[in-house]
């Protein structure tokens, strides 16, 4: 894939997996001298339409966001349903999960990534848009998240 595969090379978000979103949010708030954001649950399955490794999943997660200038830090505390969040937290422990890019044309971008050997791992909807995680780890040593806002 060439440099323009996503049509955007600006990282908009870094995602971290945590066991305790309250505790970790407070630690980041204290560290950065910021207000602790309120965490919230991802949408219920009927709204989120989450698919993980090609199958529907009831997976949900608690999310908290820190806006850090041009970059957003996302803390993710997953439930125990099948998801990339749960699998990664169980396998690798707390810490780094993904880098995210804002894109347009989700279906086309997923097709481009898959053609480049980076298969779709998980996708879902959120109020105002959709997301997809691609298994880019072998090539890029990191998971890529695509975010498309309406």
């Amino acid at each position: 894939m060439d440099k323009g595969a996503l049509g955007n090379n600006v990282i908009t978000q870094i995602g971290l997996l945590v066991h305790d979103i309250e505790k970790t949010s407070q630690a980041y708030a204290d560290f950065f001298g910021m207000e602790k954001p309120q965490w919230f649950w991802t949408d219920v399955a009927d709204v989120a339409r989450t698919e993980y490794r090609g199958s529907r999943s009831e997976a949900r997660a608690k999310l908290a966001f820190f806006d850090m200038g041009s970059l957003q830090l996302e803390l993710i505390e997953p439930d125990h349903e099948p998801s990339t969040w749960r699998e990664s937290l169980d396998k690798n422990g707390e810490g780094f999960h993904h880098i995210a890019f804002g894109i347009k044309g989700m279906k086309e971008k997923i097709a481009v990534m898959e053609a480049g050997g980076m298969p779709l791992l998980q996708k879902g909807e959120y109020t105002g848009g959709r997301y997809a995680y691609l298994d880019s780890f072998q090539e890029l040593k990191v998971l890529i998240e695509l975010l498309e806002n309406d």
Side-chain angles (χ1 to χ4, degrees):
M1 291 188 303
D2 66 25
K3 175 175 162 260
L6 298 179
N8 175 2
N9 63 2
V10 178
I11 297 172
T12 58
Q13 183 189 84
I14 294 174
L16 301 178
L17 291 167
V18 302
H19 287 299
D20 183 341
I21 203 161
E22 276 290 336
K23 184 177 167 190
T24 308
S25 290
Q26 190 62 61
Y28 269 102
D30 293 346
F31 183 76
F32 289 121
M34 300 171 75
E35 196 172 315
K36 180 169 77 81
Q38 281 295 98
W39 63 263
F40 60 91
W41 280 103
T42 56
D43 287 326
V44 294
D46 287 346
V47 176
R49 297 199 292 258
T50 304
E51 288 182 21
Y52 175 61
R53 297 191 180 276
S55 298
R56 180 184 161 94
S57 176
E58 300 288 315
R60 296 183 73 191
K62 294 176 183 176
L63 304 179
F65 294 96
F66 287 88
D67 291 317
M68 314 292 294
S70 63
L71 191 70
Q72 189 178 60
L73 179 64
E74 178 184 27
L75 302 182
I76 308 162
E77 180 189 325
D79 67 8
H80 287 277
E81 296 292 331
S83 69
T84 178
W85 310 307
R86 174 45 52 199
E87 180 181 285
S88 188
L89 188 58
D90 289 349
K91 193 166 105 181
N92 306 317
E94 293 182 293
F96 190 67
H97 181 255
H98 69 266
I99 57 175
F101 299 86
I103 57 102
K104 293 284 178 228
M106 182 65 81
K107 284 188 174 96
E108 298 79 7
K109 295 295 190 272
I110 289 172
V112 166
M113 297 288 283
E114 289 192 318
M118 300 177 190
L120 178 64
L121 195 56
Q122 180 173 318
K123 69 177 182 173
E125 310 277 325
Y126 53 85
T127 304
R130 64 211 50 80
Y131 73 91
Y133 290 109
L134 293 124
D135 190 356
S136 50
F137 198 85
Q138 188 170 336
E139 293 290 322
L140 304 179
K141 313 309 173 207
V142 66
L143 289 185
I144 297 284
E145 181 183 28
L146 306 181
L147 296 169
E148 183 177 43
N149 294 320
D150 298 326

